[in-house]
């Protein structure tokens, strides 16, 4: 009987731990990208936020505003109610200065990370629509949020390097580049 109770307790603990595994891993990965994107945003001088690799391509600042907008969009797809202070239709038009963009990034990443963390298994299984073909769930929205952040972090690294700015995490303790 003791062994059966111990086994039951172990199974219940393992099941409870596994239930939040996706939420923990996805929110942890988003936190990692959030930190890296914020480091890049901080490393670029305000006067270079208007830099673009060529005509018709988003500037550094416009990429950041796009990430802010997308973070809220993905959170909304996961069932979050967007704060009234966030004007979804004009985020990319309204956020212009380095201060506005870094504040917007912090707020939007916190918002999307919190919704991922707080999602239940049932929430993650809910079907959601995206403006592109395919069948998606709320879990898909979380995964797309992660890959979207990764994609734009890479873009921002390229923008920085094109302007002689080394990503802060790429500098070793001796001042050289890793």
């Amino acid at each position: 009987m003791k062994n059966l109770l111990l086994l039951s307790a172990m199974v219940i603990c393992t099941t409870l731990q596994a239930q939040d595994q996706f939420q923990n891993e996805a929110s942890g990965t988003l936190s990692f990208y959030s930190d890296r994107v914020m480091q890049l945003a901080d490393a670029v001088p305000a006067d270079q936020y208007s830099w673009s690799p060529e005509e018709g391509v988003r500037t550094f600042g416009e990429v950041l505003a796009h990430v802010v907008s997308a973070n809220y969009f993905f959170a909304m797809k996961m069932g979050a109610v967007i704060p009234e202070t966030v004007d979804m239709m004009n985020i990319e038009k309204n956020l212009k200065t380095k201060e506005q963009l870094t504040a917007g990034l912090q707020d939007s990443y916190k918002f999307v990370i919190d919704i991922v963390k707080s999602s239940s298994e049932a929430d993650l299984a809910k079907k959601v629509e995206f403006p592109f073909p395919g069948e998606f769930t709320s879990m898909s929205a979380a995964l797309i949020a992660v890959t979207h952040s990764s994609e734009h972090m890479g873009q921002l690294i390229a923008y920085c390097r094109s302007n002689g700015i080394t990503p802060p995490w790429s500098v070793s303790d001796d001042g050289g580049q890793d």
Side-chain angles (χ1 to χ4, degrees):
M1 183 68 162
K2 271 185 176 177
N3 288 339
L4 183 60
L5 286 174
L6 180 60
L7 180 62
S8 296
M10 289 174 55
V11 167
I12 289 170
C13 287
T14 302
T15 302
L16 290 175
Q17 181 181 3
Q19 282 181 339
D20 292 334
Q21 185 170 352
F22 174 82
Q23 295 89 325
N24 291 334
E25 290 184 23
S27 64
T29 304
L30 272 171
S31 292
F32 171 82
Y33 289 126
S34 170
D35 178 60
R36 292 290 170 95
V37 169
M38 290 304 303
Q39 286 184 55
L40 293 169
D42 289 339
V44 172
D47 65 343
Q48 289 187 353
Y49 269 51
S50 60
W51 183 87
S52 169
E54 64 182 51
E55 183 78 26
V57 177
R58 283 185 174 122
T59 66
F60 186 86
E62 288 170 341
V63 173
L64 296 178
H66 170 72
V67 171
V68 171
S69 178
N71 285 342
Y72 284 116
F73 175 77
F74 298 130
M76 187 174 59
K77 288 297 179 182
M78 294 184 69
V81 176
I82 305 303
E84 288 182 22
T85 56
V86 176
D87 180 3
M88 284 296 293
M89 299 306 292
N90 294 301
I91 287 175
E92 294 185 44
K93 292 178 197 170
N94 292 340
L95 300 180
K96 296 293 182 197
T97 68
K98 180 174 181 171
E99 293 77 22
Q100 291 170 332
L101 287 161
T102 56
L105 278 169
Q106 287 176 335
D107 293 346
S108 72
Y109 269 118
K110 181 180 180 336
F111 193 78
V112 71
I113 289 166
D114 285 348
I115 190 68
V116 171
K117 279 183 185 176
S118 66
S119 293
S120 68
E121 297 298 314
D123 291 336
L124 293 172
K126 289 179 183 172
K127 300 283 185 196
V128 296
E129 287 188 35
F130 274 92
F132 37 86
E135 191 170 300
F136 301 96
T137 63
S138 186
M139 185 185 293
S140 302
L143 291 170
I144 295 168
V146 168
T147 59
H148 187 262
S149 285
S150 173
E151 172 189 348
H152 289 296
M153 182 187 76
Q155 179 184 17
L156 294 168
I157 290 169
Y159 278 29
C160 286
R161 295 238 185 236
S162 294
N163 285 284
I165 299 169
T166 302
W169 63 85
S170 293
V171 179
S172 64
D173 292 335
D174 65 4
Q177 293 186 24
D178 289 338

